[in-house]
Amino acid sequence: MEPINVTMKWSYPRPLEDYKDNPLINSCGLYYITRVIHYKNGDNKSPVYIGKTARTFSERFYEHFYDYEHYSKGTPFLHKHGDFEVRFGIIQKLQFGSNGMPANIDFEKLLLATESSVIYEMKKLGISTHNLVNVKQTNGYTTDYDIIVHKQVSVI
């Protein structure tokens, strides 16, 4: 089977506490959380979480913050120091090979494969992923679908 070309549309980074103001808040897809630590000689920005949701970002982020506020274990990245930013990414376009649309695409599996691909490509580009708290996806690669991810410039 030919690879599926997935084009992601990403929002501009916003402060994490302002996630509800993102125009994509009622969409689903991937989210990318970074933190900036300010030092005297400059800032250090690093990824801390790359997640996926087939539900709305609003629902998923409620879980992150609800868990943090109501259960002491909470979401791991919320325990880190620094200024957090978040980008939301939605699948803008799927392009299938010359055979057209494969039957029975499972959207959740497609999101998982896309999340794995994004993390893998970050590693290939030399972006450190050792601070990512979603260990399952940093230690393995989900290959339910053979995909090629294309990034569309941040537009929202």
Side-chain angles (χ1 to χ4, degrees):
M1 176 156 90
E2 294 180 56
I4 302 169
N5 286 284
V6 178
T7 301
M8 296 294 299
K9 175 181 176 179
W10 290 93
S11 68
Y12 290 112
R14 290 174 167 75
L16 182 60
E17 62 270 10
D18 296 337
Y19 75 91
K20 291 178 185 176
D21 297 334
N22 193 306
L24 299 176
I25 191 68
N26 292 314
S27 301
C28 60
L30 301 182
Y31 53 100
Y32 176 47
I33 298 172
T34 56
R35 74 174 169 161
V36 179
I37 300 175
H38 305 284
Y39 297 102
K40 289 181 183 177
N41 58 349
D43 295 340
N44 179 3
K45 187 174 188 174
S46 62
V48 292
Y49 200 87
I50 296 175
K52 60 165 178 29
T53 182
R55 293 170 288 130
T56 67
F57 293 117
S58 177
E59 290 173 297
R60 181 65 182 115
F61 273 68
Y62 174 80
E63 292 172 349
H64 279 303
F65 287 104
Y66 181 80
D67 286 345
Y68 179 69
E69 292 173 2
H70 294 91
Y71 302 103
S72 59
K73 51 188 172 186
T75 296
F77 67 80
L78 293 173
H79 296 292
K80 294 186 177 281
H81 299 287
D83 294 331
F84 294 97
E85 294 180 333
V86 62
R87 289 177 182 257
F88 292 156
I90 60 171
I91 294 177
Q92 181 70 23
K93 180 173 71 171
L94 294 176
Q95 184 178 356
F96 303 97
S98 56
N99 297 332
M101 175 105 159
N104 302 324
I105 289 288
D106 181 318
F107 185 67
E108 289 194 30
K109 287 182 179 180
L110 181 66
L111 282 177
L112 184 59
T114 305
E115 176 189 32
S116 290
S117 180
V118 168
I119 292 170
Y120 177 77
E121 289 301 320
M122 288 174 66
K123 289 180 180 180
K124 277 182 44 180
L125 292 170
I127 298 170
S128 175
T129 58
H130 76 276
N131 285 325
L132 288 177
V133 296
N134 45 337
V135 176
K136 181 180 176 188
Q137 291 307 101
T138 58
N139 291 336
Y141 191 106
T142 302
T143 57
D144 290 317
Y145 296 109
D146 184 14
I147 63 171
I148 300 171
V149 178
H150 304 275
K151 176 188 172 215
Q152 184 179 23
V153 178
S154 301
V155 293
I156 295 176

